[in-house]
Amino acid sequence: MDAEQLRECGHRMVDFVAVTNPSRPSPSSAKCRHPGYLKELLPDTAPSKPDTLEALFYDIREKIVPGVTHWQSPNYFAYYPSNSSTAGFLGEMLSAAFNIVGFSWITSPAATELEVIVLDWFAKMLRLPSQFLSTALGGGVIQGTASEAVLVVLLAARDRTLRKHGKTSLEKLVVYASDQTHSALQKACQIAGIFPENVRLVKADCDKNYAVAPLAISDAIATDLSSGLIPFFICATVGTTSSSAVDPLPELGQIAKANNMWLHIDAAYAGSACICPEYRHYLNGVEEADSFNMNAHKWFLTNFDCSLLWVKASEENSVFDFKDWQIPLGRCFRSLKLWMVLRLYGVDNLQSHIRKHIELAKHFEQLVISDSRFEVVTPRTFSLVCLRLVPLASDQDNGRKLNYDLMDAANSSGKIFISHTILSGKFVLRFAVGAPLTEEQHINAAWKILQDLATKQLLGSP
Amino acid sequence: MDAEQLRECGHRMVDFVAVTNPSRPSPSSAKCRHPGYLKELLPDTAPSKPDTLEALFYDIREKIVPGVTHWQSPNYFAYYPSNSSTAGFLGEMLSAAFNIVGFSWITSPAATELEVIVLDWFAKMLRLPSQFLSTALGGGVIQGTASEAVLVVLLAARDRTLRKHGKTSLEKLVVYASDQTHSALQKACQIAGIFPENVRLVKADCDKNYAVAPLAISDAIATDLSSGLIPFFICATVGTTSSSAVDPLPELGQIAKANNMWLHIDAAYAGSACICPEYRHYLNGVEEADSFNMNAHKWFLTNFDCSLLWVKASEENSVFDFKDWQIPLGRCFRSLKLWMVLRLYGVDNLQSHIRKHIELAKHFEQLVISDSRFEVVTPRTFSLVCLRLVPLASDQDNGRKLNYDLMDAANSSGKIFISHTILSGKFVLRFAVGAPLTEEQHINAAWKILQDLATKQLLGSP
């Protein structure tokens, strides 16, 4: 890059993005709410001659931004958060400036080295057992996403098992998890060639806030063993996608150990909370896990993508070639942004960031409880509240339409954005607090929108 | 992100990166040339309290930058290029500012829509057959890397074949490619559970510049069919990693068609050249392919990662959920940077960019030819020159040590960075032109370094 051109355009882009942070979380204009909207606004072919940066800014402002779902808006409460921050943004800039490809140590020593160091820092923040540190035989690596993390360890477990039982025994391998486990596990199984009928998604226990019952897992394993199948992998979740349930790690660890199975822990969302001493107990039992994963790009102020995976067993090797720890060959300098987040905020502030969102979610939960038309469907654990409008006893679809319409009206307004899930057949609204700019005023405003829409809906609109 | 903080820090980072562009391509200081160097310079744990941006800049300058292999240096000639550019950098900034997760259309309509549009633009620039356009049943998608691209299509082909032959026939599936194919294919086969002994890496034809001979592939298929195996996948390469060889696409297409096999084309590096009419003929035969891949992040001024994959067959669907077209679930707004590169440079300038590097490589090739101590090992096709010091007839290891020492001396100087390969048992130096700032003066200087080192080495150093 020519330094002067980069400097001039870079400054203009900084000014542009500093004012491009809409409070509206989702496309509200009808013109952007249908598939193909952008095709109507852009030409059919790439230009032969250069356009100006000014022309690009115009198109971004007028055509792109209106069609973006703004995950950074303080009024965004859907799915789980995808945090950005000044530090994370600066880290992305620096990483883009280097633009190295660190597939092996030699292709940029600093990239591999910083990753090892920062993952050790993070493991200590989470008080992971020392076997997960690079100083032992384990170590951490940055994956793109939690879905790649679970695939990587599933493949390691698969190949370890096939080496023992013979490579034609693939059809006998069985995977266990709760039915609340992220669908990424099923996708990973499909990629790895695990037979679909050998993926046991055991029904979670609705009396335990949708955590899995260990007995259900051990029963399934016993049945499969007696049928000559080979149980080899358990995936436990800390903070499920639907309702942030926490599976019982110590019991699952014992089951895995007794049966010589790989235990993976997916703490993609809730792992962040465990840097606070008062939430660390949710990781008790991680000692027995073979691998542990959390997404710094969810609720930890680090830009996408930055999914942290630790494994216990790795080859003894003074030089890490991270290409052998992941699905792709190429990889960029992702540790920079995490390092910058840790240094520019510090652990104390990062704990405050987590606590603030959990407090806001508690506040929202109280608001819901105070309105008898609504119910909190399953108790809040972290910063997610699962709620719904209570249907009349006579409501034949158990409030499905009632709550779908409420969500649709809220999202169509463009003022807030929420998502939904299904729990025990109930259509449930998910209100996840976690955008860095969200304050109490946004929670109160969002609640008023939901209340007003409920009033309108229950009375019937004119 | 707080807008004022972002603006202030963003401007400081722009100024920082504008002056952080070393001409030295690789770590030259001894203190950074050993594994573990950075651990000695950084603390063991994350800080509790925030550090200043100034402190970070200091550490980056003094501790990180000296350990970075600078792929953007004009004196970087190793592997294949990994282009950055002002437009690509701005695109990364904008994408980091949005920080959306576009796994489905609704999670950010503009992200999916722009990707479809830009991939159609690119397909037209490459004159890909219309079946690869979104307006037909095909379409393009941005993958992280070429290794993910080949895995995605291998899985699609595997599952199509297993649906036909039964899911227990995995052990019979056979993959074909030349032994010059990127190792990513073998890794993809391992992930997909293809038996290692069913991956046929047919010896490339050294008389055809290391392209594969179609007859060698069809013979292997015939043998396997007669053994009851199921040939299902051919991977052809346009621009191999070792020597930028081009496999004969039309013939391989016929073989694939006759045997109802999937044909994938990996044009990760050389695909960029095919936007120039005079190089487009290297893609002749792409009509018969099922999938085609090229990396915009290699030689196309677009920051890593941005690997473009087109497939012919996709489901009829007016809304694309790109999570179903890739390995991970999550994905960021990668089309922005490619769109900005296409618009801010325009196709004419992008063609000039390619032609300039090819001219520089021709120039380097002539320099090598003019020095009888060296030989060009296989004719140059694009911007890669494969060369070596000619060993004496009496040299028992055929110049391996001679050329390794030359490379090591060149790289250790920190002044240039090159890589190597093995062709027909010969240790060969790879000199790949492609960094955006490389000019004729850098080529001449690099050649002088190699000549001087050769002189010193052949005479023996004192």
Side-chain angles (χ1 to χ4, degrees):
Chain A
M1 293 184 283
D2 174 79
E4 265 324 299
Q5 186 196 42
L6 181 143
R7 192 195 306 269
E8 189 221 320
C9 297
H11 284 305
R12 287 171 68 190
M13 182 56 89
V14 168
D15 288 334
F16 182 81
V17 302
V19 297
T20 308
N21 203 353
S23 64
R24 296 215 156 202
S26 65
S28 50
S29 151
K31 80 168 187 204
C32 304
R33 290 181 67 84
H34 67 276
Y37 93 89
L38 193 57
K39 208 161 198 160
E40 297 161 10
L41 305 175
L42 293 179
D44 279 344
T45 52
S48 306
K49 305 290 175 202
D51 275 324
T52 63
L53 190 51
E54 221 32 73
L56 247 85
F57 282 152
Y58 176 85
D59 275 4
I60 295 165
R61 209 163 32 224
E62 301 297 322
K63 300 170 186 172
I64 306 284
V65 169
V68 168
T69 303
H70 294 284
W71 290 60
Q72 304 315 314
S73 160
N75 302 307
Y76 183 94
F77 304 103
Y79 310 106
Y80 277 132
S82 171
N83 283 186
S84 182
S85 66
T86 298
F89 178 74
L90 298 179
E92 284 288 359
M93 281 176 73
L94 188 58
S95 167
F98 286 134
N99 201 44
I100 59 98
V101 190
F103 49 85
S104 61
W105 187 85
I106 193 67
T107 63
S108 237
T112 298
E113 302 252 326
L114 189 64
E115 190 159 330
V116 172
I117 292 167
V118 171
L119 274 280
D120 277 354
W121 284 9
F122 213 110
K124 289 176 190 170
M125 282 162 55
L126 287 170
R127 290 195 273 139
L128 294 186
S130 61
Q131 302 102 297
F132 285 110
L133 294 176
S134 72
T135 41
L137 270 186
V141 58
I142 302 180
Q143 303 282 326
T145 59
S147 28
E148 285 163 274
V150 71
L151 174 58
V152 165
V153 296
L154 184 74
L155 292 168
R158 179 197 70 179
D159 288 355
R160 183 179 77 171
T161 311
L162 292 180
R163 274 195 300 277
K164 191 173 161 195
H165 292 273
K167 62 188 178 179
T168 55
S169 50
L170 182 64
E171 64 197 69
K172 293 184 186 168
L173 302 195
V174 191
V175 169
Y176 303 80
S178 112
D179 64 353
Q180 297 297 305
T181 306
H182 194 284
S183 65
L185 176 67
Q186 282 168 276
K187 184 168 172 177
C189 288
Q190 190 190 347
I191 292 169
I194 306 300
F195 280 28
E197 64 270 29
N198 288 351
V199 181
R200 307 265 170 276
L201 298 182
V202 173
K203 207 166 156 55
D205 189 344
C206 60
D207 294 330
K208 294 204 169 147
N209 304 336
Y210 298 96
V212 76
L215 197 61
I217 296 281
S218 54
D219 282 353
I221 291 173
T223 306
D224 288 332
L225 281 171
S226 69
S227 311
L229 296 174
I230 306 169
F232 83 109
F233 192 86
I234 301 177
C235 180
T237 307
V238 175
T240 58
T241 308
S242 272
S243 62
S244 68
V246 179
D247 285 335
L249 304 186
E251 292 84 350
L252 295 176
Q254 280 169 17
I255 295 171
K257 201 174 183 180
N259 293 283
N260 198 21
M261 296 166 72
W262 187 294
L263 175 63
H264 175 65
I265 298 176
D266 170 1
Y269 153 69
S272 295
C274 302
I275 66 160
C276 300
E278 68 270 33
Y279 300 114
R280 170 58 178 76
H281 66 90
Y282 289 113
L283 295 190
N284 287 349
V286 65
E287 307 78 49
E288 294 301 336
D290 296 279
S291 51
F292 175 83
N293 173 235
M294 68 81 63
N295 285 349
H297 63 240
K298 276 199 161 64
W299 191 19
F300 203 78
L301 296 174
T302 309
N303 279 52
F304 186 87
D305 50 356
C306 194
S307 180
L308 314 183
L309 172 67
W310 287 268
V311 290
K312 268 188 189 165
S314 74
E315 287 174 39
E316 197 158 4
N317 201 333
S318 67
V319 177
F320 287 94
D321 285 341
F322 274 134
K323 68 179 169 58
D324 301 326
W325 292 50
Q326 61 175 21
I327 301 300
L329 172 73
R331 63 202 320 273
C332 62
F333 203 160
R334 281 189 291 225
S335 56
L336 270 180
K337 58 189 172 190
L338 183 57
W339 180 64
M340 291 182 67
V341 164
L342 291 170
R343 292 205 43 190
L344 287 176
Y345 299 124
V347 178
D348 293 353
N349 281 330
L350 290 162
Q351 290 174 339
S352 304
H353 160 79
I354 296 294
R355 288 174 181 138
K356 176 181 147 186
H357 288 142
I358 295 183
E359 285 307 313
L360 290 175
K362 276 185 194 166
H363 172 63
F364 183 80
E365 187 184 30
Q366 288 306 313
L367 293 173
V368 176
I369 290 171
S370 69
D371 185 334
S372 61
R373 300 173 302 171
F374 287 87
E375 66 175 354
V376 172
V377 177
T378 179
R380 181 205 49 75
T381 307
F382 303 103
S383 70
L384 170 71
V385 179
C386 291
L387 70 153
R388 67 167 191 163
L389 268 173
V390 183
L392 294 174
S394 60
D395 186 337
Q396 297 222 333
D397 77 346
N398 191 20
R400 195 195 175 287
K401 185 174 184 309
L402 186 68
N403 283 284
Y404 176 86
D405 288 348
L406 177 60
M407 176 179 79
D408 191 46
N411 289 350
S412 299
S413 76
K415 292 179 190 161
I416 63 170
F417 195 62
I418 58 175
S419 56
H420 80 279
T421 189
I422 306 291
L423 287 171
S424 302
K426 293 178 189 164
F427 188 96
V428 175
L429 307 179
R430 291 175 75 268
F431 189 93
V433 181
L437 296 176
T438 301
E439 303 285 346
E440 191 173 321
Q441 69 188 81
H442 304 105
I443 303 292
N444 292 337
W447 175 238
K448 181 148 194 328
I449 289 167
L450 291 172
Q451 279 190 310
D452 289 352
L453 286 170
T455 301
K456 202 166 149 190
Q457 204 168 318
L458 292 172
L459 295 175
S461 34
Chain B
M1 290 185 286
D2 173 80
E4 266 324 298
Q5 186 196 42
L6 182 142
R7 191 195 307 267
E8 191 223 318
C9 297
H11 284 306
R12 288 170 68 190
M13 183 57 89
V14 168
D15 288 334
F16 182 81
V17 303
V19 297
T20 308
N21 204 353
S23 63
R24 297 216 155 200
S26 65
S28 50
S29 150
K31 77 167 186 203
C32 304
R33 290 181 69 86
H34 68 277
Y37 93 88
L38 193 56
K39 209 160 198 162
E40 298 161 10
L41 305 175
L42 293 179
D44 279 344
T45 53
S48 307
K49 306 292 175 199
D51 276 323
T52 63
L53 191 50
E54 220 35 72
L56 247 85
F57 283 154
Y58 176 84
D59 275 3
I60 295 164
R61 208 163 33 222
E62 301 296 323
K63 300 169 186 173
I64 306 286
V65 169
V68 168
T69 303
H70 294 283
W71 291 60
Q72 304 314 314
S73 159
N75 302 308
Y76 183 95
F77 304 104
Y79 309 106
Y80 276 132
S82 170
N83 282 186
S84 180
S85 66
T86 298
F89 178 74
L90 297 178
E92 285 288 359
M93 280 175 73
L94 187 59
S95 166
F98 285 135
N99 202 43
I100 59 98
V101 190
F103 50 85
S104 61
W105 186 86
I106 193 66
T107 62
S108 237
T112 299
E113 302 251 326
L114 189 64
E115 189 159 332
V116 172
I117 292 167
V118 171
L119 273 280
D120 276 355
W121 284 10
F122 214 108
K124 289 176 189 169
M125 282 163 54
L126 287 170
R127 291 194 273 139
L128 294 186
S130 61
Q131 302 103 296
F132 285 109
L133 294 177
S134 72
T135 42
L137 269 188
V141 59
I142 302 180
Q143 304 283 325
T145 58
S147 27
E148 286 163 272
V150 70
L151 174 58
V152 165
V153 297
L154 184 75
L155 292 168
R158 179 197 70 178
D159 288 355
R160 184 179 77 172
T161 310
L162 291 180
R163 275 196 298 276
K164 192 173 160 196
H165 292 273
K167 62 188 176 177
T168 55
S169 50
L170 181 64
E171 63 197 69
K172 293 185 186 166
L173 303 195
V174 192
V175 169
Y176 303 81
S178 111
D179 64 354
Q180 297 296 307
T181 306
H182 194 285
S183 64
L185 175 68
Q186 282 167 276
K187 184 168 172 175
C189 288
Q190 189 190 347
I191 292 169
I194 306 301
F195 280 27
E197 64 268 31
N198 289 351
V199 182
R200 306 264 171 276
L201 298 182
V202 173
K203 209 166 154 57
D205 190 343
C206 60
D207 294 331
K208 291 199 170 153
N209 305 337
Y210 298 95
V212 76
L215 196 61
I217 297 281
S218 54
D219 282 354
I221 291 173
T223 306
D224 288 332
L225 282 172
S226 69
S227 311
L229 295 173
I230 306 169
F232 83 107
F233 192 87
I234 301 177
C235 180
T237 306
V238 175
T240 57
T241 308
S242 272
S243 63
S244 69
V246 178
D247 285 335
L249 305 185
E251 292 83 351
L252 294 176
Q254 281 169 18
I255 295 170
K257 200 175 185 178
N259 294 282
N260 197 23
M261 296 164 73
W262 187 294
L263 175 63
H264 175 65
I265 298 175
D266 170 0
Y269 153 70
S272 294
C274 303
I275 66 162
C276 301
E278 67 270 33
Y279 301 113
R280 171 57 177 79
H281 65 91
Y282 289 112
L283 296 190
N284 287 350
V286 65
E287 309 77 50
E288 295 301 337
D290 296 278
S291 50
F292 176 84
N293 172 235
M294 69 81 64
N295 285 349
H297 63 240
K298 276 200 162 63
W299 193 19
F300 203 78
L301 296 174
T302 309
N303 279 51
F304 186 87
D305 49 357
C306 194
S307 181
L308 315 182
L309 172 67
W310 288 269
V311 289
K312 269 186 187 165
S314 75
E315 286 173 39
E316 197 158 6
N317 200 334
S318 67
V319 176
F320 286 94
D321 285 341
F322 273 133
K323 70 179 169 57
D324 302 327
W325 292 50
Q326 61 175 21
I327 302 297
L329 172 73
R331 62 203 320 273
C332 62
F333 203 160
R334 280 189 292 227
S335 57
L336 270 179
K337 58 189 172 191
L338 183 56
W339 179 64
M340 292 182 67
V341 164
L342 291 169
R343 291 203 46 188
L344 287 176
Y345 300 124
V347 179
D348 293 354
N349 281 332
L350 290 162
Q351 290 174 338
S352 303
H353 160 78
I354 296 294
R355 287 172 181 140
K356 175 179 146 188
H357 288 142
I358 295 182
E359 285 308 312
L360 290 175
K362 276 186 195 165
H363 172 64
F364 182 80
E365 187 184 30
Q366 287 308 313
L367 293 173
V368 176
I369 290 171
S370 69
D371 185 334
S372 61
R373 300 173 302 171
F374 287 87
E375 68 176 352
V376 172
V377 177
T378 179
R380 181 204 51 74
T381 308
F382 302 103
S383 70
L384 170 71
V385 179
C386 292
L387 70 152
R388 66 167 189 161
L389 268 173
V390 184
L392 295 174
S394 60
D395 186 337
Q396 296 220 337
D397 76 346
N398 192 18
R400 194 194 177 287
K401 184 173 184 314
L402 186 71
N403 282 282
Y404 176 85
D405 288 348
L406 177 61
M407 176 178 81
D408 191 47
N411 289 350
S412 300
S413 77
K415 292 178 188 162
I416 64 170
F417 196 61
I418 58 176
S419 55
H420 79 279
T421 189
I422 306 289
L423 287 172
S424 302
K426 291 178 192 164
F427 188 96
V428 175
L429 306 179
R430 293 174 73 268
F431 189 93
V433 181
L437 296 177
T438 301
E439 303 286 346
E440 193 174 318
Q441 68 188 81
H442 303 106
I443 303 292
N444 292 338
W447 175 236
K448 181 145 194 328
I449 289 167
L450 291 172
Q451 278 190 310
D452 289 351
L453 287 171
T455 301
K456 201 164 148 191
Q457 205 168 320
L458 293 171
L459 295 176
S461 35

